[in-house]
Amino acid sequence: MAAETGQNLFEIAYPLFQRVNDNDFEYVYRGYFDHSITKKILFLADTNIAKVTHQSQATLQKRIYYIMVEGLQNITHHQEEIANDREFDKYPGIFAIQKNGEKYFISTGNIVANDKIENLKSKLDIINSLSPEELKKIHREILSNGNISDKGGAGLGLIEMSRKSGNKLLYSFEKLDEEFTYFYLQTLIPTDASYGSREHGSHSSLESVKQLHKQMNADNILLYFNGFFNQENLLSLLSIIKSRMNMPLTTIKISNVMVEMLQNIIKHGCKSSPETAGVSGMFFLGQSGNETILTSGNIIPNESVKMITERLNFVNGMSKEELSDYYDDILLDFDTADAKKTGLGFSDLRIKSDRPLKFKFLPVSENEQFYLLQTSVKTKK
């Protein structure tokens, strides 16, 4: 079963990457959310936003950041409401940023108890019916009195998301079973020129979030990250993994393998421009039985394909004992003349995962290819 799941994740990796990019996703995180993890997500997402906003757009960046905070708090709030049953472990949430032209879309998806839906829907409809002046007035009432009028029967966080964006909140409910429903929420954040127009978000972009979420759930992807990778955000990604996994010894092994895979993206990937904050790519974890499957993907130049292929074939062709001996030798001989024997990182990855490294190259342009790499780690509780 684990092998079948791994093969499936290997086959869907590039279509998944295409789907994310074709739908204008700047950043996607699918997994478990808590206060510690959301701090890391905010850092990673804000890093991605910073790469495309200029000094003149500082107000826009602050507005986006504030709505990201509120959206992530909304997810954790609903998880905490049902935390006693721990049911949310079965239904991981999703957080996504899309950019279409000059507009940003912040979307979240998380489970809510079915008996909360009518009240939540009523709050959202009230917010969407109010003018900017009315929202401002209700906001002042909440801060000064600690309560709100009948007309403003909505949570402060949702009110603030609408106020800060200047737009209405787009939402959708997808029933899961007799107890729970997925609640999807999207906020449109425009540039200053159209701020305060009270638009809805985009039904098509929210639908793309829902479909992406559905696919990730179906394929049992525990954690998915799409965005820009660099040495700085590598540490935050590792922190998320450690917070997400609940098996200490296994977490160390997965973290070690993950470091090598992320370093591989950073080392070989193409930058979209000199100003880019890192290398564009994706990384995700899947699980089946006692196997955690790690998959990475990124764009590389054509001239790197031969070298990477030779190094991967070299380490895959050795037995465990041969690989261990080779690794010890290469640590003492960095000046080896054999090009096939310079892949120290691949050797380390092969040793730590104790699995062959699966890889594939797919043409994406005349000069570039999509480089897919996958391995797995056996997890024992």
Side-chain angles (χ1 to χ4, degrees), residues 296-315:
S296 67
N298 59 284
I299 306 296
I300 64 169
N302 285 343
E303 56 265 27
S304 297
V305 173
K306 182 180 178 182
M307 174 269 294
I308 294 173
T309 301
E310 289 177 345
R311 293 178 182 179
L312 284 167
N313 284 335
F314 179 75
V315 299

Side-chain angles (χ1 to χ4, degrees), residues 32-35 75-90 111-113 116 179-180:
Y32 170 66
F33 294 77
D34 63 17
H35 294 294
I75 296 176
T76 55
H77 170 71
H78 287 293
Q79 284 187 160
E80 288 168 356
E81 284 186 340
I82 56 174
N84 290 337
D85 295 328
R86 302 292 293 178
E87 287 288 345
F88 54 76
D89 279 342
K90 299 179 183 178
I111 60 167
V112 296
K116 304 286 186 182
E179 292 184 83
F180 300 109

Side-chain angles (χ1 to χ4, degrees), residues 241-260:
I241 293 292
K242 291 177 180 178
S243 299
R244 178 65 183 87
M245 308 298 287
N246 58 4
M247 297 168 283
L249 292 177
T250 300
T251 301
I252 294 172
K253 192 171 186 180
I254 291 173
S255 296
N256 289 338
V257 172
M258 182 177 166
V259 166
E260 294 299 332

Side-chain angles (χ1 to χ4, degrees), residues 19-302:
R19 183 178 197 170
V20 166
N21 286 281
D22 289 347
N23 285 283
D24 302 314
F25 285 99
E26 294 280 318
Y27 177 98
V28 182
Y29 170 84
R30 184 266 188 189
Y32 170 66
F33 294 77
D34 63 17
H35 294 294
S36 173
I37 288 176
T38 55
K39 289 180 182 178
K40 306 300 181 185
I41 294 171
L42 283 168
F43 173 80
L44 292 170
D46 196 43
T47 299
N48 269 19
I49 296 296
K51 82 181 192 302
V52 292
T53 54
H54 307 291
Q55 189 69 30
S56 60
Q57 296 175 295
T59 301
L60 174 63
Q61 187 175 344
K62 289 178 181 178
R63 197 177 295 149
I64 294 170
Y65 186 83
Y66 187 93
I67 291 170
M68 287 195 300
V69 171
E70 292 295 340
L72 289 165
Q73 287 180 346
N74 182 62
I75 296 176
T76 55
H77 170 71
H78 287 293
Q79 284 187 160
E80 288 168 356
E81 284 186 340
I82 56 174
N84 290 337
D85 295 328
R86 302 292 293 178
E87 287 288 345
F88 54 76
D89 279 342
K90 299 179 183 178
Y91 310 110
I94 191 168
F95 172 81
I97 300 173
Q98 291 162 286
K99 184 177 185 291
N100 190 317
E102 296 300 315
K103 295 180 179 179
Y104 280 89
F105 300 95
I106 308 295
S107 301
T108 59
N110 56 273
I111 60 167
V112 296
N114 288 343
D115 59 7
K116 304 286 186 182
I117 293 175
E118 286 305 315
N119 183 46
L120 183 55
K121 184 178 183 297
S122 176
K123 290 178 178 181
L124 288 162
D125 288 341
I126 289 171
I127 290 173
N128 286 340
S129 71
L130 300 176
S131 67
E133 292 73 22
E134 289 172 317
L135 285 170
K136 187 175 181 179
K137 180 181 177 182
I138 291 170
H139 179 252
R140 284 201 303 263
E141 288 180 10
I142 294 174
L143 294 181
S144 60
N145 303 326
N147 53 44
I148 51 180
S149 64
D150 291 338
K151 187 175 183 181
L156 180 60
L158 295 175
I159 290 172
E160 280 295 82
M161 290 175 76
S162 186
R163 283 189 68 235
K164 291 291 184 180
S165 69
N167 290 309
K168 297 179 181 180
L169 303 175
L170 181 63
Y171 65 88
S172 177
F173 294 99
E174 296 282 335
K175 187 174 181 180
L176 294 169
D177 51 38
E178 295 307 310
E179 292 184 83
F180 300 109
T181 290
Y182 264 123
F183 164 48
Y184 293 96
L185 181 67
Q186 184 182 87
T187 309
L188 165 61
I189 309 170
T191 57
D192 290 338
S194 57
Y195 179 72
S197 58
R198 297 300 286 162
E199 294 180 69
H200 274 296
S202 165
H203 287 278
S204 61
S205 67
L206 183 59
E207 187 62 30
S208 68
V209 172
K210 290 163 61 177
Q211 293 304 315
L212 178 64
H213 194 198
K214 187 178 296 184
Q215 180 183 352
M216 292 176 178
N217 287 341
D219 290 310
N220 197 24
I221 296 174
L222 296 180
L223 176 147
Y224 178 94
F225 174 79
N226 185 86
F228 280 76
F229 295 79
N230 55 38
Q231 294 293 344
E232 188 177 13
N233 65 26
L234 186 150
L235 295 176
S236 291
L237 279 167
L238 287 173
S239 296
I240 290 174
I241 293 292
K242 291 177 180 178
S243 299
R244 178 65 183 87
M245 308 298 287
N246 58 4
M247 297 168 283
L249 292 177
T250 300
T251 301
I252 294 172
K253 192 171 186 180
I254 291 173
S255 296
N256 289 338
V257 172
M258 182 177 166
V259 166
E260 294 299 332
M261 295 188 78
L262 297 181
Q263 292 282 15
N264 181 63
I265 293 176
I266 296 167
K267 179 179 179 182
H268 298 292
C270 294
K271 280 193 172 187
S272 57
S273 70
E275 296 78 25
T276 300
V279 174
S280 178
M282 72 170 182
F283 176 84
F284 62 88
L285 294 178
Q287 191 155 29
S288 177
N290 65 346
E291 293 279 336
T292 295
I293 302 154
L294 301 91
T295 308
S296 67
N298 59 284
I299 306 296
I300 64 169
N302 285 343

